[in-house]
Amino acid sequence: MGKNKNNKLKILLVEDDEYDVDITQRAIKKSDIDSKLYVVRDGEEALDFLYREEGFEDAPRPDLIFLDLNLPKIGGHQVLEKIKVDDQLKHIPVIVLTVSEREEDMVKAYDSGASSYIHKPVNPDEFGKVIRTVQEYWKMAELPPR
Amino acid sequence: MKKSIYLLLFAYFVLVLGIFAWGVSDLYLVIGLMLSPPGALGLFYLFRSSPFTSSKKLEGWGAQRYAERIFENSSNLLFVVDQGGNILRRNKTSRDRLGREERDNLNIAEIVHPDYMDTVKEELANMFKMGQFRDVKVRLMAEEDEGKKVLPAQMRGVAVTDYAGVLEFTDQEEKYRLKRRLRESSARYRCLIEDAIDTLDSGVVLIDKNDQIVWVNETMEDFFEIDREHLIGLDANRALRSYVESFKEPESFLEMAESAYRDNSHVSNYTCYIEDGRGVEQRVLEYRSIPVETDRYQGGRIEHYIDISEVKRLERNLREKTKRLEKSNEKLEEFSRSISHDLKAPLQTIEGYSQVIEEDYQQKLDEEGKKRIQALGKTSQRLRQRIEGLLTYSSIEVEGGSFRPLDLGRIINEMRDDLDYVLEDVDFRLPEEFPAVYGHETLIIELLSNLITNAVKYNDKEDPMIEFGWERRGEDYLLWVEDNGQGIKEQYLKKIFEVFEKLNPRENPEGTGIGLALCKRIVEEHGGRIWAESELGEGTTFYFTLPGKEKELAISEKKDMDLESAKSKKKEPVSNR
């Protein structure tokens, strides 16, 4: 992965479900976000990626994180908490993407410092819409300087 | 002087007779008045000079007539006697009661029982000496047709002159009889009540105001393995200590009971656990101790020990059962949650990918391919919806607001589109109009699509036909799905509604065996019933009833499916990925 081409938005997707990864990739590809998507499959990998450990020594610092909540090994909530208490990482916006409809999951995610909480739509087209909305939002909001 | 005495007397008698005339029917009062000193004085003057032979002086006096009437009509036996006991005159009652012929020379000795003659003689002498005597018990001898009869009486007398006095006998026979009967009946009641209390399921203790145990019932002996004879007469505090050792917590019981004795307060229910020597619970008693506030045992207490072991046992059972049910409910909820996730997620993937393929490979697919991909998406969507419906179903509360009026026409038309692939080449006949049933939409869709799919699945004809029909039945509707399929043997017509019952598993491997069981449950959940009529080789008709409007829905009594118990709580099925 090493060095990135200039202005591409580096997105880290933390997601264990093959289909969701695929659909997210597709939706991002279909949108005109100039981005590079990095995918990790569980919470442990996500933290390794962020701390650049255990085979992720060359991982870049992502500009945006899509985080699933229900993850193997280390859960999404825990990953989010770790990110938000780490001075090096806490500025990275985290968008929680999940199928969970439990209110407490949402409240907990926002409490831990999630920038946004989005229900993962079932329909791929709906998914595209979500990504476009996120894109609109990030176009307007200035991302923290890299 | 004489005149004034007569005047006084007259006034007295007017007073007496006035009272009498007012309706004071109690002759005792009048007689009493007459026998009281002024009355005696009156009589003295009345009978002063042999009133029975020459009472001319008084003839003009109405008073004498009244006195005569009082004398004659008294309900007591009255005699005028001389010192020798010779009866000078007797009244009607004495004649009626003693029944002897009228004689001039009748002596008191003839009517008094020989055993009492001495007493009577003594009192008679006393009377002439002291002027009167009161209330002596004697017995009289009555002469009746059947022979002599003893008559208990109470005797009193007053001397009217030096040689004549009045003896009055109050008949005691009735009184004695009543007394005897009262004694008998109270003995009987006492016996019955004691027996009843002895055989009560509750222990009963009666304590007097000095804290002494007056009575203990037999049940107490059973409860505490004590001898009641030892308890009776014992101080209640000491008695308590003699049996309290079988209590689970004797100290706190003693403290409570003794403070209630001290303060004379109520104990309305105190639960005591009685154990045997090894600490095994034998019975649970509810102790009540109530101060007695009236009558003989005022200041004492009545105590009850009521056996509530059975109630406690049932309570405990119920608690355990509830706990188990709650646990199994939790498990079922967990189960439906995991089903929701485990079944829905792959379906969403299939659905999503079929959409992706349809979109992304539009150019590469021909019409048939597109159609099949669409069918794939639709099927998985329908399956997902069905799972969602079932999960909702398993967690619905029957009272819940999910029941509403449904337009069956709309539902069937939508369903026909969904079942397009199933109904291909099927002559699906629908009525022109549809009823509005009252029900749960997801369940009704499930019911109808199951019946329709079945009708197609088990149809071996070349031109399969399905007809949906209905008619009104009062406030309800009778509906049916008829087919011209292979038919069902009569002996299986009931069996097909059982869970996992498949008549021809080899011929129809794709069936789950749950469809008709589910239909039955759905119909029953709507307060209706479902049955099938069939002719082998000709076809089958499934009839079912549904309500036309809201009514109290009976929960189906037959617990056909385990899903039943999961519907107690409504919780959104949750899945995390």
Side-chain angles (χ1 to χ4, degrees):
Chain A
M1 294 174 193
K3 276 181 187 164
N4 252 306
K5 273 179 238 162
N6 44 34
N7 271 342
K8 277 197 175 181
L9 188 67
K10 294 187 285 289
I11 302 173
L12 175 63
L13 174 63
V14 190
E15 174 63 80
D16 64 319
D17 188 275
E18 202 65 54
Y19 170 76
D20 285 341
V21 171
D22 195 9
I23 292 299
T24 314
Q25 272 173 337
R26 175 176 175 269
I28 289 173
K29 209 193 287 174
K30 279 200 161 190
S31 73
D32 50 3
I33 307 174
D34 188 14
S35 61
K36 171 124 184 67
L37 187 71
Y38 300 88
V39 182
V40 290
R41 296 314 177 103
D42 61 48
E44 199 179 274
E45 273 187 25
L47 291 175
D48 286 344
F49 186 96
L50 291 168
Y51 294 135
R52 293 169 179 155
E53 286 166 355
E54 302 281 334
F56 291 100
E57 283 82 4
D58 295 331
R61 182 126 298 165
D63 302 311
L64 181 62
I65 300 171
F66 282 124
L67 179 66
D68 185 20
L69 283 184
N70 195 12
L71 290 169
K73 294 180 187 171
I74 298 174
H77 283 300
Q78 220 178 323
V79 172
L80 181 59
E81 272 165 34
K82 287 225 160 136
I83 293 170
K84 288 302 164 188
V85 296
D86 188 303
D87 285 340
Q88 301 287 308
L89 303 172
K90 67 179 175 195
H91 65 277
I92 304 173
V94 177
I95 296 173
V96 171
L97 259 180
T98 181
V99 290
S100 169
E101 282 167 12
R102 285 200 299 211
E103 208 183 297
E104 62 257 41
D105 271 341
M106 187 171 80
V107 172
K108 202 171 160 194
Y110 277 122
D111 274 355
S112 307
S115 304
S116 188
Y117 186 95
I118 295 170
H119 289 290
K120 237 189 286 189
V122 172
N123 192 305
D125 288 344
E126 291 290 315
F127 209 98
K129 269 185 216 159
V130 169
I131 294 295
R132 274 196 296 284
T133 313
V134 171
Q135 179 190 354
E136 291 300 313
Y137 175 72
W138 289 113
K139 260 186 198 165
M140 287 192 290
E142 277 291 312
L143 282 181
R146 294 172 210 178
Chain B
M1 178 66 190
K2 217 177 195 178
K3 211 164 195 178
S4 66
I5 289 169
Y6 277 131
L7 259 169
L8 206 74
L9 248 180
F10 178 66
Y12 170 65
F13 266 102
V14 166
L15 181 74
V16 168
L17 296 168
I19 293 167
F20 187 54
W22 274 346
V24 179
S25 57
D26 190 351
L27 276 170
Y28 283 86
L29 179 63
V30 180
I31 300 289
L33 274 169
M34 289 173 67
L35 291 174
S36 62
L41 206 67
L43 280 170
F44 170 76
Y45 276 99
L46 268 177
F47 300 125
R48 183 183 169 106
S49 49
S50 186
F52 312 102
T53 49
S54 62
S55 55
K56 275 203 171 84
K57 263 186 204 165
L58 295 168
E59 251 173 4
W61 292 69
Q64 196 206 348
R65 262 198 2 250
Y66 285 117
E68 288 277 336
R69 255 165 67 181
I70 293 165
F71 183 82
E72 276 300 314
N73 295 333
S74 169
S75 62
N76 291 333
L77 295 79
L78 294 177
F79 299 90
V80 179
V81 291
D82 65 13
Q83 282 180 327
N86 295 309
I87 294 169
L88 305 177
R89 187 167 172 193
R90 50 197 288 217
N91 73 344
K92 186 173 178 296
T93 310
S94 87
R95 286 191 294 273
D96 291 349
R97 301 289 290 150
L98 300 177
R100 280 180 184 78
E101 81 278 21
E102 198 69 42
R103 271 196 286 134
D104 281 346
N105 56 348
L106 194 66
N107 192 281
I108 198 84
E110 291 175 68
I111 60 161
V112 173
H113 191 280
D115 291 356
Y116 289 85
M117 206 47 230
D118 289 348
T119 317
V120 172
K121 271 183 184 159
E122 206 173 294
E123 293 297 340
L124 206 59
N126 233 356
M127 178 176 86
F128 284 104
K129 200 155 69 188
M130 313 293 287
Q132 63 173 4
F133 68 90
R134 287 197 161 267
D135 298 338
V136 179
K137 273 181 190 158
V138 295
R139 290 195 170 174
L140 301 178
M141 301 299 293
E143 260 175 19
E144 288 179 353
D145 296 342
E146 307 91 66
K148 292 201 171 186
K149 191 190 149 198
V150 177
L151 195 74
Q154 192 148 302
M155 175 180 76
R156 51 186 175 157
V158 58
V160 181
T161 63
D162 286 344
Y163 52 86
V166 178
L167 289 182
E168 184 192 31
F169 295 89
T170 312
D171 179 4
Q172 299 289 56
E173 192 180 35
E174 186 66 15
K175 196 173 152 191
Y176 280 6
R177 210 173 55 235
L178 283 175
K179 241 187 186 169
R180 204 165 45 240
R181 266 172 52 188
L182 194 67
R183 253 203 316 274
E184 268 170 24
S185 74
S186 66
R188 195 162 60 237
Y189 282 120
R190 199 183 144 89
C191 176
L192 286 174
I193 286 170
E194 282 195 6
D195 182 62
I197 295 176
D198 262 348
T199 52
L200 272 183
D201 290 338
S202 307
V204 181
V205 181
L206 178 61
I207 301 168
D208 71 9
K209 64 172 188 280
N210 302 318
D211 278 1
Q212 271 202 352
I213 292 191
V214 178
W215 195 70
V216 172
N217 78 340
E218 214 172 273
T219 319
M220 284 295 286
E221 297 190 324
D222 299 341
F223 280 175
F224 301 112
E225 288 168 8
I226 44 172
D227 184 359
R228 63 169 149 179
E229 297 309 320
H230 285 144
L231 288 186
I232 291 171
L234 216 61
D235 177 79
N237 291 290
R238 269 187 61 202
L240 270 186
R241 288 177 187 278
S242 76
Y243 59 76
V244 82
E245 59 198 31
S246 58
F247 284 50
K248 192 179 175 188
E249 285 164 340
E251 289 310 317
S252 57
F253 178 79
L254 276 179
E255 202 175 299
M256 177 274 310
E258 287 174 354
S259 86
Y261 290 173
R262 218 171 28 245
D263 311 337
N264 200 32
S265 59
H266 272 259
V267 179
S268 53
N269 47 51
Y270 182 96
T271 310
C272 330
Y273 296 87
I274 312 302
E275 296 176 335
D276 66 4
R278 287 158 298 166
V280 179
E281 186 179 299
Q282 287 209 302
R283 54 170 58 88
V284 185
L285 300 176
E286 191 177 289
Y287 170 75
R288 290 181 197 170
S289 183
I290 300 140
V292 179
E293 277 155 7
T294 51
D295 294 338
R296 180 157 179 191
Y297 293 109
Q298 185 173 11
R301 312 178 71 80
I302 291 183
E303 303 200 309
H304 299 260
Y305 293 86
I306 299 149
D307 195 340
I308 53 166
S309 312
E310 189 62 14
V311 177
K312 286 278 164 190
R313 197 182 59 78
L314 290 175
E315 247 175 39
R316 227 172 270 167
N317 275 359
L318 193 68
R319 256 205 308 276
E320 270 165 29
K321 266 188 192 145
T322 313
K323 219 179 194 173
R324 273 208 299 277
L325 258 170
E326 272 168 7
K327 233 180 199 165
S328 101
N329 258 355
E330 262 168 42
K331 267 189 197 157
L332 270 161
E333 257 167 45
E334 187 57 44
F335 175 69
S336 39
R337 228 173 291 166
S338 75
I339 283 205
S340 158
H341 181 249
D342 293 351
L343 295 187
K344 267 166 72 186
L347 276 172
Q348 278 167 3
T349 305
I350 296 172
E351 211 178 304
Y353 272 137
S354 64
Q355 205 175 324
V356 167
I357 293 169
E358 197 188 332
E359 271 175 35
D360 294 3
Y361 301 88
Q362 228 165 13
Q363 311 304 323
K364 292 174 188 168
L365 286 171
D366 60 11
E367 278 313 302
E368 220 162 59
K370 272 183 205 160
K371 207 174 128 192
R372 283 172 187 158
I373 280 293
Q374 272 170 12
L376 176 69
K378 264 194 172 169
T379 312
S380 54
Q381 188 187 354
R382 202 172 49 245
L383 182 51
R384 182 169 54 80
Q385 283 166 348
R386 205 171 286 180
I387 290 169
E388 277 167 2
L390 283 179
L391 285 169
T392 318
Y393 175 48
S394 68
S395 60
I396 50 158
E397 281 174 88
V398 181
E399 306 91 321
S402 318
F403 285 74
R404 55 192 173 85
L406 301 173
D407 177 3
L408 266 193
R410 175 184 61 82
I411 288 175
I412 288 185
N413 278 317
E414 279 176 18
M415 192 167 19
R416 188 156 63 166
D417 292 342
D418 279 352
L419 295 178
D420 208 18
Y421 70 106
V422 176
L423 291 171
E424 222 175 352
D425 304 324
V426 173
D427 178 13
F428 188 34
R429 297 178 193 171
L430 291 172
E432 280 177 17
E433 280 176 39
F434 290 91
V437 299
Y438 190 83
H440 186 291
E441 180 159 349
T442 317
L443 301 185
I444 296 295
I445 291 172
E446 185 67 28
L447 167 71
L448 292 172
S449 79
N450 259 306
L451 290 176
I452 292 167
T453 315
N454 268 1
V456 178
K457 209 192 284 177
Y458 302 105
N459 202 314
D460 51 357
K461 301 295 184 320
E462 277 188 17
D463 47 353
M465 183 279 293
I466 299 172
E467 188 185 301
F468 172 79
W470 63 277
E471 62 182 51
R472 213 185 162 94
R473 285 282 169 95
E475 285 186 345
D476 299 339
Y477 291 100
L478 172 71
L479 306 102
W480 60 85
V481 175
E482 187 181 352
D483 64 56
N484 61 344
Q486 60 206 57
I488 301 161
K489 277 187 192 159
E490 178 147 18
Q491 64 261 43
Y492 299 131
L493 283 176
K494 278 218 169 87
K495 216 169 157 53
I496 49 172
F497 292 103
E498 289 169 18
V499 183
F500 300 130
E501 194 56 52
K502 286 170 71 181
L503 293 183
N504 303 299
R506 257 167 300 162
E507 282 172 45
N508 299 288
E510 74 267 37
T512 57
I514 210 167
L516 284 175
L518 199 60
C519 288
K520 182 167 187 264
R521 225 176 89 81
I522 290 170
V523 170
E524 283 173 353
E525 210 64 65
H526 284 77
R529 65 189 199 96
I530 186 168
W531 70 98
E533 289 172 11
S534 184
E535 206 165 313
L536 216 56
E538 296 292 315
T540 310
T541 308
F542 283 92
Y543 292 97
F544 56 99
T545 59
L546 289 174
K549 61 178 204 177
E550 185 171 10
K551 58 176 160 185
E552 283 199 14
L553 295 168
I555 299 168
S556 58
E557 276 176 25
K558 277 197 171 176
K559 310 277 184 260
D560 283 335
M561 298 174 65
D562 284 337
L563 287 173
E564 177 92 28
S565 38
K567 67 166 181 261
S568 63
K569 280 184 205 161
K570 186 177 170 67
K571 245 187 197 173
E572 289 291 323
V574 173
S575 61
N576 283 339
R577 279 204 276 165

